[in-house]
Amino acid sequence: LQSSRHAIMEKVAQMTGLQPAQLFRYSIIAGVIMVMCGIGGSYISCLLGVAYPCFMSFLALESDGRDDDKQWLTYWVVFGLFNIVDQFAGFILTFIPFYFLLKLCFLIWLFHPISTGATTIYDMFILPNMQQYEKHIAAVEQKVSESIDAAKAKASSITGKSESAKTE
């Protein structure tokens, strides 16, 4: 996989006469300029917010250390919560000038290894709130589990079949 990735990068580098690092830099600059001009902002921010972190998460899973695993898992937690807010408030947020540029900058700040913004957001906001509501969430989870078990038992009594009869 890694050799084919390098082969593709080398082929593109030969075609353009640029180094792979330059290609990456120019691609990011072109994407940012397009977003600033209002061209494909939602697609570019989605691509950058998902494709690059997905690729880096894959590499982190294959690496030996655990630090990068935690960084990318933290990114996905923060990204997921941000995406929920974005989906529900997105129609309002699009009226903000340069919204997609701000979103793009925020996503880059979240995953960039120098800023590790996802870890900052997680440590300052998500973790304290999760710790505060953890017992409540566990209680709700327990009640839902009990309700599901009761519904299964009721369904089994109505149909006259038990779970042990199904497995035999």
Side-chain angles (χ1 to χ4, degrees):
L1 175 69
Q2 192 167 356
S3 62
S4 66
R5 180 176 48 135
H6 287 291
I8 292 170
M9 285 300 290
E10 289 299 322
K11 190 172 187 175
V12 173
Q14 286 176 349
M15 289 171 42
T16 60
L18 299 171
Q19 295 296 322
Q22 289 175 309
L23 284 171
F24 181 72
R25 231 177 286 132
Y26 293 153
S27 298
I28 295 293
I29 291 168
V32 170
I33 290 171
M34 288 175 65
V35 170
M36 288 175 65
C37 293
I39 302 169
S42 64
Y43 299 113
I44 293 170
S45 62
C46 180
L47 184 66
L48 192 63
V50 174
Y52 176 75
C54 187
F55 178 72
M56 294 305 293
S57 297
F58 175 75
L59 293 179
L61 288 172
E62 298 302 315
S63 71
D64 291 332
R66 296 239 181 230
D67 291 339
D68 53 355
D69 296 359
K70 183 178 180 182
Q71 194 256 333
W72 287 110
L73 186 58
T74 304
Y75 170 80
W76 288 113
V77 168
V78 175
F79 176 79
L81 291 173
F82 172 73
N83 209 24
I84 290 170
V85 171
D86 188 44
Q87 289 298 313
F88 285 106
F91 65 94
I92 296 169
L93 296 174
T94 55
F95 292 111
I96 297 172
F98 298 107
Y99 168 69
F100 287 110
L101 179 63
L102 295 172
K103 179 179 177 179
L104 189 63
C105 292
F106 177 70
L107 291 174
I108 292 170
W109 177 74
L110 283 180
F111 69 68
H112 200 279
I114 292 175
S115 63
T116 59
T119 303
T120 303
I121 297 288
Y122 181 80
D123 290 341
M124 290 179 67
F125 301 106
I126 297 172
L127 184 61
N129 285 311
M130 282 301 294
Q131 289 172 338
Q132 180 181 355
Y133 296 110
E134 192 170 16
K135 291 178 184 171
H136 300 295
I137 293 169
V140 169
E141 185 180 13
Q142 180 64 32
K143 286 181 184 178
V144 168
S145 178
E146 290 170 0
S147 298
I148 289 172
D149 290 342
K152 283 182 184 177
K154 182 109 176 158
S156 294
S157 69
I158 291 173
T159 60
K161 297 178 183 176
S162 67
E163 288 294 320
S164 61
K166 286 183 184 178
T167 59
E168 293 176 358

